[in-house]
Amino acid sequence: MNTDARRYVILIFFLVIGVIYSIRLFYMQVVDESWTLRAQEIAEKRHVVVPPRGIVKDRNGKKIVINKTYYNLMMCEKDIKHLDTVAFAKLIGWTPEKVKYRFKEIYYEEGFDKNPKTKRRNVPRYQKMRKYAFVKEMTTEEMAEIAPYLGNFPGFFEEITSMRSYPYANAANILGYVSEVNGQEVEEDRFYRSGDNIGRAGLERFYETDLRGRKGVHYIVTSAMNNAIEPYANGKYDTTAKQGPVLNLSVDIDLQAYGESLMVNKRGCIVAIEPSSGEILAMVSAPTFDPNLFVGKRATSQNYPRLLLDKDKPLYPRPLQAEYPPGSIFKLLQSVIALQEGAITINTGFPCNKSLVGCHNHPNAGNIMEAVQMSCNPYYYQAVRRIIQGGRKKGLYADAEEGLRIWSQYMQSFGLGHKLDTDIPGIRGGLIPNPNYYDNEFPSKKRPYGHHQWAFSTIRSISIGQGEVKVTPLQMANIAALIANRGWFYTPHFVKSIGRQGPKPIYKKKNYTMVKSQHFDPVIEGMRRVVNEGGGTARRARLEDIIVCGKTGTAQNPQGEDHSVFIAFAPMNNPKIAISVYVENAGAGGQWAAPIASLMIEKYLKNKISDPEKEKRILEANLMNVVKKGK
Amino acid sequence: MSRNQSLTSNVDWGLLIVFFLMLGMGVANVYSVAYNEDHPNFFDFSQKYGKQILWIGFSLFLGIVVFLIDSDIYRKFAIPIYLFCIGMLVLVLFMPAVNGAHAWLGFGSLGIQPAEFAKIGTAIALGRYINSLNVNQQNVKTVILANIILLGPMVLILMQPDAGSFVVFTSFLFVMYREGLTYDPIVLKLVNLIPGIKFKSTWVGSHFIPILFAVVFLSLVTLLMSNNVLTFEFWPGLEIPGFYGVLISLFLLALISYLILRWVSSKRDRNKVTVIVLIGFIMAAGISTTVNIGFQGLAIHQKERIELFLGMREDPNGDDYNRNRAMAAVGSGGLTGKGYKNASLASVESNHVPESETDFIFCPLAEEWGFVGSLVIMFLFMFMLIRIITIAERQKSRFNRVYAYSVAMIIFYHFAINIGMNIGFAPVIGIPLPFFSYGGSSMMSFSVMMFILIKLDSQRNDVLS
């Protein structure tokens, strides 16, 4: 038998196997990508790098919010082996029960997903192979103590993290704070993962998307032992984490700190603005708190409830949210509106007729400057009546309606009655009544005055800044700024630049009021006299070599002692600072608010105080317990 | 005999070059897999690549020795060589077990695996025996004697136990098949026991070995693919169950082989070719379908057993773990691979594919060089195997031819099983990929095997028998 032909059987075997294998390899390697995905699943890890938040500097480049290094003690359940709970608890200074409880806590904190079949939320998000922070926010010293022994507890390891730190301990109400995201925030914004921080209030919240920076993603090739070996594909798909840009504030931290020291033991606020730019120089809310109290979860959980329950409401951002009656400072705006509307001229005089409205004793005001200087209530009663009842329409009520409509438009143009676009959350708009308000809302929505049921006499208290009118301290400061500018203002704002970008475009846009600039000059002259001449109500605000223009106010407070109000700007020509000071239960504006404003102005313009006695009087004053009218 | 000839005359340079090419690629691959940043030196003998170079050096030294020795001694000393191998296989059973098998002779990393060398000894012994027979001396006695030559080492190897080498020894059945020493006499005897039947030969008996191989291979592939679903990257949504994938592949294979055979065969044989291919396809499809239906019809626990045996089940510590990861490594290579030293799964450091420097050495190759690299490996092996068959068929001595076929079949088995388990076509049984896998025994035995072949071939004209 000849078996030579059998060589071909064997050769065909070789070739068939070779071809089959080649086709299979082509399918596995080129056609089917599921093996590639499987390989990624096996060997690649997505490692997310959270950058430190952007830091914050004041207008002079001083760092006022920085990041400090902390450590989290992480755990990964998959790697934990034979945990000696007692020894571990001893190492980290906990009780063994707390350690056991913490494991459960982490499990439940992660939450649950909906089971697509049963529609019940019972699919745990917790994963054994993921790492979780077991002990958060340990200082370098704390970590250094336990780190050498962590080797005895596989599955536990340290991870570096950063938290906010406030070297100046001031401006808490401006800066806000950060804390961990909650489940809802994680769901709403894919940027966040549990354990990340988010800005909670103030600028931290407003500029959150800038400050948080850009997360980095590293794809790492890991070994079967879960050790990182090398970047995947030499880092081709990696993105670098990028810290958020520096937030350069307009705030002068020294001025802010000085303002806070002046307001110790007082309730109220100070807002200072640079009129030529709308930049907020300082915004004091008193009483205040140290922003470092809210650094980290542990500190926050201790301090937040305490501050929240404090009867003096330190967490309440008064400059933004407290809506006070403006009192006599409102007369400045009534003056310019009356002049613009032609209701009065510069030299119009009114007798101080106390039967119209109460007033203090002073000579009759013969012109607008004197009216401002002496803050004559009957003068403004009469002047504003001419604005409201301007004879534009027939009939008393229709005329009042039209007059109030125009008047409220003026007031809106001064940034009142609506929220300013200031770059901080939680701002309020105050209240400027318009015809609709009296028709439908006042005194109550149920029983308003009704259409054509009111005239000037009904609403006369608005003429002297009492009654329905409500203005926030930030708006008051803005009034001072727009008067200083003679009729325009930039929206007050905190941030001069974000990284290398300038301020937001809206802060570069001049807002013109409806009043021409020439009408401001007589009012400013009046304001100069308020501070600098006899008979003025704010002589305490006078400075030797700086012409301060100001106006006091006393906001009536039916619950207790009146609130002390003062707005001012200086110098008179080419103003550098406009300021509002509001001190609750402090009586007439000239008493406390005016000297505080002058100290702030002097501090900012001269950086020294010429009258230590004045400063001492303010620093030592305690107005916290003055609630009832002291007679 | 003409003693004037130089040592290098009549050397088959083609085979030698492919051999050296594979050695070079192999050691470069080991360097890539086992690369240690702290020891970047290629010749660092504390590292696996350094050791592999030592092994290669030693293998080449042995090769030179083989070249200097007259090839006649293998035939002359066939029986002592074979008995020496048997002795080693017996001795190794008394050595301490490494990884559960008494496979290593020697100490630590300096050990050798006698099973690797037993293949050479068996090939020589088988050659010597078949050489002593007349051409048509196929009867029950000769077949059983030849089988005893194989069974000796096979039983000893199974006692180690070393399933991989055991399976490799069945490759000698193909050599016997080529030489006309098949199970036909036994089958014939049984068939002729039936009254009234008097066959001279049976087709099944004569071609028993290749048919068995084909059936086993097809069954294995069918089983291994039965739980798979084929997906296609360029056509998302298209999903083909693994079994239909096998049938479609068979059909395509039949079509291609039909076209090729039609092209190469003479006009006279064309109808014959058509019938053979058609019958082959129908039979293969039938076997595959039977296996699939039979497998699906099994009770769950029986199915599980087979799946576990074949390494198809998700057992994180079992073989499937290795196979799944090996396949992931191979499959993630893509068209051109991840680049030299860039294997993310198959590197020793990452350790996702265990034994990636020995049994799964094809993984890093495929992962780093992609389909292009894999195809190069395929071509090299195909070239080598066809070259060896060509060499075998030009031998005048039957001893030489048996030896050459033995070498071809052993390499083919190693190639088919080793790469098969990397691509999910073979169960995981640990046998090295010739010239590529790290390890002294296989490197030395395959090199010596190759040099003996080349030496025999170079002296083919000297042999008179």
Side-chain angles (χ1 to χ4, degrees):
Chain A
M1 189 170 60
N2 186 358
T3 56
D4 283 356
R6 292 186 180 178
R7 78 175 79 161
Y8 298 113
V9 175
I10 289 170
L11 277 176
I12 286 170
F13 254 93
F14 292 174
L15 290 174
V16 167
I17 294 285
V19 169
I20 288 177
Y21 279 19
S22 300
I23 292 170
R24 172 68 172 168
L25 280 165
F26 183 75
Y27 172 77
M28 278 178 73
Q29 297 188 300
V30 183
V31 178
D32 185 12
E33 74 171 342
S34 63
W35 291 112
T36 313
L37 299 175
R38 172 81 181 119
Q40 283 172 352
E41 192 183 301
I42 293 170
E44 284 165 32
K45 268 226 176 123
R46 222 170 148 261
H47 184 63
V48 177
V49 182
V50 182
R53 286 175 80 82
I55 65 163
V56 181
K57 293 182 180 173
D58 89 334
R59 72 184 289 116
N60 300 315
K62 292 179 179 166
K63 291 177 182 172
I64 55 177
V65 185
I66 57 173
N67 298 301
K68 215 171 147 188
T69 302
Y70 283 81
Y71 292 86
N72 283 340
L73 180 59
M74 309 297 290
M75 71 104 178
C76 178
E77 195 182 333
K78 188 175 66 82
D79 299 331
I80 296 178
K81 287 184 188 79
H82 316 296
L83 177 64
D84 182 348
T85 314
V86 177
F88 182 67
K90 202 177 157 195
L91 178 69
I92 60 173
W94 289 8
T95 61
E97 288 74 30
K98 197 179 171 190
V99 169
K100 282 177 196 158
Y101 176 75
R102 178 71 186 138
F103 277 110
K104 279 187 199 157
E105 195 179 43
I106 293 170
Y107 181 86
Y108 284 103
E109 264 177 6
E110 272 305 286
F112 297 86
D113 278 328
K114 243 184 204 158
N115 184 332
K117 280 180 187 160
T118 60
K119 307 277 180 208
R120 277 160 64 186
R121 247 177 212 285
N122 57 3
V123 181
R125 286 196 196 128
Y126 179 85
Q127 284 174 20
K128 277 189 182 176
M129 53 193 301
R130 262 178 60 187
K131 57 181 186 178
Y132 297 94
F134 196 80
V135 185
K136 285 177 183 170
E137 299 155 10
M138 304 176 80
T139 61
T140 315
E141 295 77 37
E142 285 172 319
M143 184 48 85
E145 252 175 56
I146 67 162
Y149 308 102
L150 279 181
N152 301 335
F153 303 99
F156 290 91
F157 52 97
E158 61 180 59
E159 196 177 79
I160 209 160
T161 172
S162 73
M163 287 202 292
R164 286 307 216 192
S165 178
Y166 307 91
Y168 284 87
N170 298 117
N173 58 313
I174 301 173
L175 301 171
Y177 62 100
V178 297
S179 72
E180 265 186 37
V181 285
N182 57 38
Q184 196 190 340
E185 284 157 341
V186 173
E187 264 168 43
E188 279 170 6
D189 190 340
R190 292 176 61 88
F191 179 89
Y192 300 103
R193 294 274 298 273
S194 86
D196 285 352
N197 281 327
I198 190 169
R200 281 278 172 233
L203 300 182
E204 294 276 19
R205 178 159 148 209
F206 195 89
Y207 288 97
E208 168 67 15
T209 49
D210 296 300
L211 288 171
R212 68 189 185 184
R214 197 180 67 196
K215 281 184 178 178
V217 180
H218 292 235
Y219 293 94
I220 296 172
V221 177
T222 57
S223 76
M225 307 303 289
N226 227 348
N227 301 319
I229 293 183
E230 58 180 7
Y232 173 71
N234 287 326
K236 200 162 72 177
Y237 304 105
D238 291 5
T239 52
T240 16
K242 210 174 157 199
Q243 186 176 11
V246 177
L247 222 52
N248 294 300
L249 301 195
S250 57
V251 172
D252 182 330
I253 195 65
D254 294 327
L255 185 67
Q256 175 77 21
Y258 186 64
E260 285 180 21
S261 70
L262 294 177
M263 291 299 285
V264 168
N265 290 326
K266 297 157 198 84
R267 276 187 303 271
C269 41
I270 304 172
V271 181
I273 298 175
E274 184 179 70
S276 61
S277 63
E279 291 169 5
I280 297 171
L281 300 169
M283 193 177 85
V284 179
S285 181
T288 185
F289 60 94
D290 182 348
N292 289 302
L293 294 179
F294 285 175
V295 172
K297 207 173 184 180
R298 274 190 284 175
T300 307
S301 62
Q302 278 171 20
N303 297 314
Y304 187 78
R306 183 169 61 77
L307 291 170
L308 192 66
L309 295 174
D310 191 319
K311 67 175 169 51
D312 293 317
K313 298 184 184 169
L315 296 180
Y316 181 53
R318 288 180 163 79
L320 308 173
Q321 295 192 354
E323 294 170 315
Y324 300 108
S328 297
I329 60 167
F330 214 48
K331 291 169 185 163
L332 301 171
L333 301 179
Q334 307 286 29
S335 305
V336 291
I337 297 172
L339 286 170
Q340 176 73 32
E341 278 294 302
I344 57 168
T345 64
I346 294 173
N347 293 317
T348 304
F350 291 110
C352 181
N353 183 350
K354 292 195 181 67
S355 66
L356 295 172
V357 55
C359 200
H360 55 103
N361 288 322
H362 63 84
N364 288 338
N367 57 37
I368 190 78
M369 287 80 83
E370 285 174 15
V372 170
Q373 182 189 356
M374 295 182 285
S375 195
C376 177
N377 288 342
Y379 187 98
Y380 282 97
Y381 178 95
Q382 293 167 83
V384 175
R385 184 167 64 187
R386 284 196 187 174
I387 302 172
I388 305 289
Q389 308 286 168
R392 298 173 186 88
K393 288 255 168 97
K394 277 189 179 169
L396 179 71
Y397 297 116
D399 190 30
E401 182 183 12
E402 179 64 8
L404 186 69
R405 192 182 63 75
I406 290 168
W407 177 85
S408 71
Q409 279 175 358
Y410 274 104
M411 286 301 175
Q412 294 280 347
S413 80
F414 298 138
L416 306 180
H418 62 267
K419 289 179 189 174
L420 288 168
D421 283 327
T422 300
D423 47 357
I424 197 159
I427 216 162
R428 285 206 188 152
L431 178 69
I432 295 295
N434 57 14
N436 179 54
Y437 181 73
Y438 290 113
D439 284 355
N440 299 311
E441 287 176 35
F442 190 80
S444 70
K445 278 196 177 176
K446 251 184 184 170
R447 299 184 62 175
Y449 288 149
H451 188 57
H452 284 185
Q453 297 296 308
W454 49 270
F456 174 72
S457 55
T458 327
I459 61 170
R460 62 183 185 276
S461 55
I462 63 169
S463 59
I464 52 167
Q466 306 288 357
E468 292 81 68
V469 179
K470 295 267 182 343
V471 176
T472 66
L474 176 64
Q475 287 171 325
M476 292 180 200
N478 194 42
I479 292 170
L482 74 90
I483 295 173
N485 288 336
R486 278 80 171 164
W488 57 268
F489 66 95
Y490 286 113
T491 303
H493 55 278
F494 289 102
V495 172
K496 281 173 75 137
S497 64
I498 306 163
R500 288 190 185 147
Q501 292 172 20
K504 294 184 166 222
I506 53 163
Y507 302 133
K508 289 189 228 165
K509 191 183 133 253
K510 262 186 195 178
N511 300 294
Y512 285 96
T513 64
M514 288 164 66
V515 178
K516 286 197 179 124
S517 71
Q518 74 254 26
H519 299 307
F520 285 91
D521 288 324
V523 175
I524 289 169
E525 171 56 22
M527 290 171 77
R528 186 191 67 77
R529 292 183 193 174
V530 167
V531 179
N532 296 290
E533 288 190 4
T537 51
R539 298 273 299 158
R540 286 181 196 274
R542 207 177 101 80
L543 293 170
E544 274 309 316
D545 40 8
I546 302 166
I547 303 174
V548 176
C549 302
K551 179 78 193 78
T552 57
T554 307
Q556 282 170 8
N557 176 14
Q559 278 95 38
E561 186 74 60
D562 290 345
H563 301 316
S564 178
V565 192
F566 186 66
I567 67 170
F569 65 87
M572 183 173 173
N573 296 312
N574 197 11
K576 292 271 182 273
I577 178 170
I579 192 165
S580 76
V581 179
Y582 208 105
V583 188
E584 288 179 23
N585 310 117
Q591 279 281 338
W592 297 104
I596 291 174
S598 79
L599 288 168
M600 289 291 283
I601 291 169
E602 198 177 16
K603 173 77 179 172
Y604 180 65
L605 294 179
K606 297 273 169 190
N607 200 22
K608 65 177 171 59
I609 300 304
S610 55
D611 186 353
E613 282 301 314
K614 195 201 279 186
E615 188 182 34
K616 190 163 171 260
R617 174 174 168 269
I618 300 295
L619 290 173
E620 287 174 354
N622 186 340
L623 304 173
M624 290 300 255
N625 299 317
V626 187
V627 178
K628 292 273 172 261
K629 275 186 194 187
K631 282 273 162 87
Chain B
M1 279 194 237
S2 48
R3 291 288 175 203
N4 310 341
Q5 285 174 330
S6 71
L7 279 169
T8 52
S9 64
N10 274 329
V11 162
D12 191 276
W13 290 107
L15 183 60
L16 203 63
I17 286 167
V18 175
F19 166 72
F20 277 112
L21 212 56
M22 285 191 179
L23 283 192
M25 288 171 71
V27 74
N29 191 40
V30 169
Y31 180 66
S32 163
V33 180
Y35 180 71
N36 184 333
E37 275 179 8
D38 302 333
H39 302 270
N41 189 351
F42 197 65
F43 297 97
D44 190 323
F45 298 132
S46 71
Q47 299 300 310
K48 288 195 167 155
Y49 29 94
K51 283 181 188 157
Q52 183 77 341
I53 287 173
L54 277 183
W55 291 127
I56 288 176
F58 195 61
S59 301
L60 293 180
F61 168 74
L62 288 179
I64 292 166
V65 172
V66 167
F67 244 78
L68 294 173
I69 300 169
D70 191 284
S71 67
D72 212 24
I73 66 146
Y74 304 113
R75 193 168 54 83
K76 279 180 183 160
F77 293 100
I79 293 164
I81 291 171
Y82 177 73
L83 290 177
F84 176 71
C85 288
I86 294 284
M88 296 245 285
L89 285 173
V90 172
L91 194 63
V92 82
L93 293 177
F94 299 99
M95 298 302 288
V98 178
N99 294 333
H102 304 268
W104 292 87
L105 203 61
F107 311 96
S109 63
L110 282 172
I112 54 159
Q113 290 169 287
E116 296 291 338
F117 297 94
K119 291 166 195 163
I120 304 175
T122 309
I124 290 170
L126 193 67
R128 160 89 184 230
Y129 177 67
I130 291 173
N131 194 38
S132 70
L133 302 173
N134 290 329
V135 176
N136 280 330
Q137 216 173 349
Q138 178 182 326
N139 55 43
V140 176
K141 192 186 143 205
T142 54
V143 170
I144 287 177
L145 256 172
N147 272 294
I148 285 172
I149 294 176
L150 303 186
L151 275 174
M154 280 172 87
V155 168
L156 288 168
I157 284 167
L158 205 57
M159 283 164 73
Q160 290 187 357
D162 180 357
S165 298
F166 178 82
V167 172
V168 169
F169 267 79
T170 62
S171 63
F172 288 112
L173 296 175
F174 277 91
V175 182
M176 287 162 60
Y177 165 75
R178 165 65 185 90
E179 293 302 325
L181 215 59
T182 64
Y183 292 110
D184 193 33
I186 300 167
V187 174
L188 215 54
K189 254 222 158 100
L190 290 171
V191 170
N192 288 347
L193 281 178
I194 303 167
I197 292 178
K198 194 97 185 134
F199 285 133
K200 273 196 175 160
S201 70
T202 60
W203 192 81
V204 174
S206 311
H207 300 281
F208 181 70
I209 297 302
I211 290 171
L212 183 72
F213 185 92
V215 169
V216 167
F217 180 76
L218 192 60
S219 308
L220 274 177
V221 170
T222 308
L223 281 178
L224 291 168
M225 297 296 292
S226 65
N227 288 356
N228 281 9
V229 172
L230 301 178
T231 56
F232 297 84
E233 196 178 344
F234 53 82
W235 191 352
L238 177 67
E239 288 183 351
I240 299 177
F243 169 62
Y244 293 107
V246 173
L247 287 188
I248 292 168
S249 309
L250 279 175
F251 178 74
L252 291 177
L253 205 64
L255 202 70
I256 293 166
S257 42
Y258 170 70
L259 292 174
I260 292 172
L261 285 172
R262 248 182 89 93
W263 181 50
V264 295
S265 61
S266 60
K267 231 174 196 173
R268 198 161 48 95
D269 293 339
R270 274 193 190 157
N271 288 337
K272 208 172 150 191
V273 161
T274 312
V275 172
I276 287 175
V277 169
L278 197 65
I279 290 173
F281 170 69
I282 290 169
M283 282 178 61
I287 290 164
S288 182
T289 310
T290 314
V291 167
N292 189 53
I293 290 171
F295 179 66
Q296 302 300 341
L298 286 178
I300 289 174
H301 69 275
Q302 288 169 318
K303 234 169 133 176
E304 268 179 13
R305 242 185 217 174
I306 292 177
E307 283 173 345
L308 266 178
F309 173 71
L310 294 177
M312 291 155 66
R313 287 199 75 79
E314 283 290 338
D315 178 2
N317 303 313
D319 288 339
D320 183 51
Y321 174 80
N322 299 357
R323 200 172 70 108
N324 184 289
R325 299 201 154 193
M327 287 170 74
V330 172
S332 66
L335 184 64
T336 53
K338 297 177 187 171
Y340 190 58
K341 283 205 272 192
N342 273 337
S344 53
L345 264 71
S347 73
V348 168
E349 190 187 10
S350 76
N351 200 28
H352 287 295
V353 181
E355 304 288 330
S356 61
E357 77 280 24
T358 54
D359 294 347
F360 285 105
I361 192 74
F362 184 68
C363 282
L365 270 171
E367 193 181 355
E368 291 178 355
W369 299 102
F371 179 65
V372 174
S374 308
L375 211 57
V376 169
I377 304 295
M378 292 286 150
F379 273 116
L380 284 178
F381 271 103
M382 284 298 123
F383 179 86
M384 178 179 261
L385 290 170
I386 292 168
R387 192 73 215 147
I388 296 173
I389 297 297
T390 314
I391 289 170
E393 291 296 340
R394 74 183 179 205
Q395 300 303 314
K396 290 169 183 165
S397 143
R398 219 177 166 195
F399 171 81
N400 285 11
R401 191 171 71 195
V402 169
Y403 180 79
Y405 263 100
S406 301
V407 174
M409 287 316 300
I410 289 167
I411 291 176
F412 171 66
Y413 259 59
H414 276 264
F415 159 81
I417 294 173
N418 185 287
I419 293 185
M421 69 192 195
N422 280 290
I423 59 178
F425 273 7
V428 178
I429 47 173
I431 59 170
L433 186 65
F435 317 115
F436 284 89
S437 285
Y438 166 78
S441 295
S442 69
M443 180 55 68
M444 283 192 292
S445 72
F446 279 113
S447 302
V448 169
M449 192 187 280
M450 195 57 72
F451 278 110
I452 291 176
L453 173 67
I454 293 169
K455 181 67 181 177
L456 283 171
D457 179 53
S458 73
Q459 291 186 307
R460 61 184 179 268
N461 295 325
D462 304 352
V463 185
L464 297 171
S465 57

